[in-house]
Amino acid sequence: MSDAFIHFDKVSKAFGIVTVVDNLDLSIGRGEFVSMLGPSGSGKTTLLMMLAGFENPTSGAISVGGKRVDALPPHKRNMGVVFQNYALFPHMSVADNVAFPLKMRGASRSEIVERVTKALDMVQLSAFHERKPIQLSGGQQQRVALARALVFEPEVVLMDEPLGALDKKLREQMQMDIRDIHHRLGLTIVFVTHDQTEALTMSDRIAIFNHGKIEQIGRPSEIYDRPKTQFVAEFIGETNLLGGKVASSSNGVLNVILDGGQPISVASATTQEPGKHVKVSVRPERIELDSPGDGQNELKVRVTDIVYHGDHLQVLVDSGHRSFVVKATRKAVAPQVGQEIIASFSPEQCWIVS
Amino acid sequence: MKTLPVSKAVFGTAVVIFLMAPLFAILPLAFTDSIFLNYPIPGFSFRWFHELFTANAWRWSILNSLVIGCGTTILATVLGTIAALGLRGNSASLFFSFFRTAFLLPMVVPAVVLGVGMQLMFAQYGLANTYVGVIIAHTVIAIPFVVVNVTAALQGIDRRLENAAASLGASPAVVLQQVTLPLAMPGIVSGAVFAFATSLDEVVLTLFVAGPNQRTVARQMFSTIRENISPAIAAAAFLFIVGTVVIAGLVLLAQKKTQRA
Ligand SMILES: Nc1ncnc2c1ncn2[C@@H]1O[C@H](COP(=O)(O)OP(=O)(O)OP(=O)(O)O)[C@@H](O)[C@H]1O
Ligand SMILES: [Mg+2]
């Protein structure tokens, strides 16, 4: 992407002999909301810290708005940062914490009061403005950190798991607020989270991290519906991986013989060598039980366990060769443990992962 | 496990008595009306306190101690804090560990050795027998206390707080002034108090570098005890101890306050 606003060009970061970010390319457009998702220790915070200017890349270049920022100290980067541990100033009141960036920018007294009040209203903490951070709960501290990073309306906001300590209701409320602010102010947001639902619902694009590299980056629907690798498929949502061998491929359809001997067809834009071992991924909610249709892949399975989830049932089935998970919607007639049944899914709902 | 609290209490009391007994031995003598520094005390009087504040030698020494103590406190606190800031966080490098050790050296070098060296050097630069000379001498041995206290306080500060301030637009100088120093203040205050106490207490260096005009209370007590053993010493000691307790109390209060905040 040439019109990228934030651009990482072959950026690596090593601490001693450990490479934490590995030759990473990433472009983020102006006003884009990009989430970073990945296992603990995969380098998300380190990437954020390099963007904010607290760590220097070992090699590579970072530019913002077309200008390299490598030599720019953190206080000149004009980015709002919400740290993983909040990093509120313990010796200042909540209001003074939120006022800090405004004071640094020489705002007038009345303007500071007005904007601090507005920011604290947004995070529903107006009643707490005189308290010290230590007198707040974890979730309240997190909201102060959020208000502090947003109050000066920076162009770029970096958030490191900003909603992790909130309960579900408040988290959903804050998600809405952040999205709203994002749209209203046209902020560019880089958002680290462990919550995949949060990433799927809030982001324009999601980057999946693994061992300091981006495994896949794309729109939420691409990431969820067409994960390219086994890692991504398993990291986002649940998946069933079926091993098999390519038998033939013709106009967009691969014929795969599963390891148990059943043939299935897989829609695929790319062709594969016959005889090649492949892994087919299919999401549990894409599999239907006992409603075989035309042109569907069908597997004869036996129900081994049923787990009640309220709005759906998680059904474990066994094809004799492997077991897999089916997410079954609630129907009048629920499957029974031990029952022989047909599991089916269409060729478009499964894909090859590497 | 029941015996543990009992033995703790007994042992604790024993240690406190061991440490405090000499103080309790000397303190009552401050209020004697006799001219001898010994028991039994014939009667109660404030005459030695009166002597302390009227006799010229004592009055001057009290004033000197305050002037030199304050000078030392300011100089040692400023220099020690700067040193602690400079030495911060570079634990691995040899260069820095050399300096870290160098700053603590005055704690272990015998005062007599320092004193002889300073006397020779101060004479060269015209600092012998001056207030500035005494303040510098006291500062040298007071700095380690400031460095140790401030370093400990700085270690307790989460770097991410300073990073946060920087990301919010604070230049390094502003970060220092608005975040680092306020958070390190309890350590700086304890360092300053230690520096003041060190200066008050100092005899050996003072003997070497101070002239008759810079006679401090400690120095005056030292010579009085050799020349004529008068109970004025006990009165001076009493003031010393009360002063120390008050200062220590203030420090505790300050630390409590910052902890609660
Ligand atoms: N200053 C440092 N010195 C040495 N190693 C570091 C340093 N900072 C981070 N690391 C290491 O780099 C790796 C990546 O850390 P990072 O904090 O970026 O992970 P993360 O993806 O944010 O993880 P989490 O989801 O747990 O926050 C970790 O293995 C960590 O131990
Ligand atoms: Mg992290």
Side-chain angles (χ1 to χ4, degrees):
Chain A
M1 213 185 295
S2 58
D3 58 341
F5 180 49
I6 298 172
H7 187 69
F8 289 83
D9 185 19
K10 300 199 172 30
V11 170
S12 294
K13 175 72 191 177
F15 292 108
I17 54 161
V18 189
T19 301
V20 174
V21 173
D22 192 1
N23 205 20
L24 180 138
D25 286 311
L26 172 62
S27 292
I28 297 170
R30 190 185 285 273
E32 201 178 14
F33 191 127
V34 174
S35 290
M36 302 197 187
L37 208 56
S40 190
S42 57
K44 308 178 297 288
T45 298
T46 307
L47 193 76
L48 226 54
M49 291 300 111
M50 286 194 284
L51 186 51
F54 302 124
E55 300 280 3
N56 284 319
T58 313
S59 65
I62 304 172
S63 48
V64 176
K67 283 197 281 289
R68 280 188 67 158
V69 294
D70 308 47
L72 215 55
H75 68 278
K76 293 198 175 137
R77 295 200 181 188
N78 203 31
M79 295 178 184
V81 183
V82 181
F83 287 81
Q84 199 162 2
N85 69 336
Y86 327 138
L88 298 178
F89 306 128
H91 57 299
M92 297 182 196
S93 69
V94 165
D96 285 339
N97 262 281
V98 177
F100 189 87
L102 300 173
K103 282 184 190 150
M104 291 303 117
R105 284 163 179 76
S108 73
R109 218 157 221 253
S110 56
E111 189 190 350
I112 289 178
V113 171
E114 183 197 326
R115 287 172 73 172
V116 167
T117 310
K118 236 172 71 188
L120 286 178
D121 273 347
M122 175 193 81
V123 295
Q124 305 171 15
L125 283 178
S126 321
F128 297 86
H129 68 279
E130 270 176 7
R131 292 219 195 161
K132 290 279 168 65
I134 201 161
Q135 298 166 307
L136 301 179
S137 75
Q140 289 164 341
Q141 293 183 31
Q142 212 159 37
R143 283 183 279 155
V144 177
L146 210 56
R148 192 180 63 176
L150 294 173
V151 71
F152 62 107
E153 303 187 350
E155 269 191 308
V156 180
V157 182
L158 313 179
M159 303 190 188
D160 201 348
E161 297 181 44
L163 308 179
L166 305 184
D167 64 54
K168 189 166 177 293
K169 193 154 171 281
L170 201 53
R171 187 163 63 224
E172 282 166 4
Q173 174 68 49
M174 295 300 299
Q175 287 172 359
M176 301 257 278
D177 288 338
I178 292 175
R179 270 170 56 126
D180 186 53
I181 294 166
H182 171 232
H183 290 310
R184 200 153 41 80
L185 303 177
L187 298 176
T188 306
I189 298 185
V190 184
F191 189 92
V192 174
T193 175
H194 271 137
D195 180 340
Q196 34 170 299
T197 316
E198 193 167 280
L200 289 168
T201 54
M202 295 179 76
S203 335
D204 296 322
R205 282 193 302 158
I206 300 176
I208 307 288
F209 272 70
N210 192 21
H211 296 303
K213 284 185 182 342
I214 294 179
E215 286 267 330
Q216 188 176 351
I217 179 162
R219 281 178 286 108
S221 59
E222 284 171 358
I223 296 284
Y224 189 83
D225 290 333
R226 284 294 178 267
K228 283 194 184 126
T229 65
Q230 178 178 348
F231 176 83
V232 176
E234 285 178 333
F235 194 79
I236 287 259
E238 264 190 288
T239 196
N240 295 296
L241 289 171
L242 317 175
K245 219 185 241 175
V246 177
S248 65
S249 65
S250 60
N251 42 1
V253 177
L254 292 180
N255 292 308
V256 176
I257 311 289
L258 295 185
D259 292 343
Q262 305 98 321
I264 60 167
S265 9
V266 179
S268 167
T270 56
T271 58
Q272 306 269 359
E273 285 287 302
K276 192 181 167 202
H277 278 282
V278 291
K279 284 202 179 104
V280 179
S281 166
V282 54
R283 298 277 186 206
E285 71 272 18
R286 298 300 190 190
I287 303 177
E288 301 261 13
L289 289 179
D290 227 7
S291 56
D294 242 8
Q296 298 272 29
N297 296 311
E298 291 176 11
L299 300 174
K300 197 177 261 173
V301 295
R302 209 167 59 83
V303 177
T304 55
D305 197 8
I306 296 175
V307 183
Y308 179 76
H309 275 257
D311 61 336
H312 70 273
L313 299 175
Q314 192 186 20
V315 184
L316 269 72
V317 298
D318 193 285
S319 70
H321 203 77
R322 84 176 56 71
S323 63
F324 51 95
V325 186
V326 177
K327 185 174 170 186
T329 48
R330 305 283 306 274
K331 292 190 189 137
V333 190
Q336 300 293 317
V337 173
Q339 190 183 347
E340 298 276 344
I341 206 167
I342 300 286
S344 60
F345 51 93
S346 80
E348 286 75 37
Q349 302 295 4
C350 59
W351 61 91
I352 308 280
V353 295
S354 54
Chain B
M1 292 310 279
K2 249 198 180 146
T3 55
L4 198 62
V6 177
S7 58
K8 242 190 201 169
V10 170
F11 190 71
T13 317
V15 171
V16 169
I17 289 174
F18 176 74
L19 291 174
M20 304 282 275
L23 300 183
F24 286 118
I26 186 91
L27 289 186
L29 289 172
F31 300 96
T32 186
D33 63 356
S34 140
I35 58 160
F36 299 111
L37 187 71
N38 58 9
Y39 287 105
I41 299 171
F44 176 89
S45 104
F46 280 117
R47 65 179 280 198
W48 296 112
F49 287 95
H50 190 254
E51 157 104 9
L52 225 50
F53 290 109
T54 48
N56 250 333
W58 282 108
R59 274 170 58 177
W60 268 113
S61 70
I62 292 175
L63 206 65
N64 280 340
S65 272
L66 289 178
V67 169
I68 293 170
C70 289
T72 303
T73 305
I74 294 170
L75 198 59
T77 306
V78 170
L79 293 178
T81 303
I82 293 174
L85 284 169
L87 290 173
R88 192 180 178 200
N90 292 291
S91 47
S93 128
L94 197 67
F95 181 75
F96 281 95
S97 33
F98 169 76
F99 274 102
R100 197 166 292 124
T101 315
F103 276 109
L104 302 185
L105 224 48
M107 260 182 176
V108 288
V109 174
V112 178
V113 177
L114 272 179
V116 174
M118 283 182 185
Q119 197 180 35
L120 291 175
M121 201 175 86
F122 284 7
Q124 284 231 330
Y125 297 105
L127 288 172
N129 304 344
T130 63
Y131 281 97
V132 176
V134 180
I135 290 176
I136 292 178
H138 285 191
T139 299
V140 168
I141 55 164
I143 275 185
F145 294 99
V146 179
V147 172
V148 166
N149 275 291
V150 177
T151 301
L154 289 175
Q155 267 163 2
I157 299 178
D158 187 345
R159 283 270 182 176
R160 282 172 289 196
L161 291 176
E162 291 160 294
N163 284 350
S167 78
L168 295 169
S171 66
V174 177
V175 174
L176 182 71
Q177 180 216 334
Q178 302 256 336
V179 179
T180 315
L181 288 183
L183 290 175
M185 202 40 88
I188 296 173
V189 170
S190 342
V193 169
F194 272 112
F196 190 74
T198 306
S199 169
L200 275 192
D201 213 28
E202 217 305 312
V203 177
V204 182
L205 286 182
T206 316
L207 283 173
F208 278 102
V209 300
N213 282 337
Q214 290 89 39
R215 211 164 248 260
T216 61
V217 174
R219 167 87 204 275
Q220 173 70 13
M221 284 167 80
F222 190 71
S223 41
T224 310
I225 222 147
R226 274 192 318 187
E227 290 152 18
N228 59 332
I229 306 182
S230 114
I233 293 174
F238 185 85
L239 289 184
F240 243 96
I241 291 163
V242 169
T244 312
V245 168
V246 167
I247 292 174
L250 286 180
V251 171
L252 269 182
L253 262 182
Q255 283 175 347
K256 266 269 169 58
K257 224 171 144 190
T258 46
Q259 263 169 25
R260 252 188 293 121

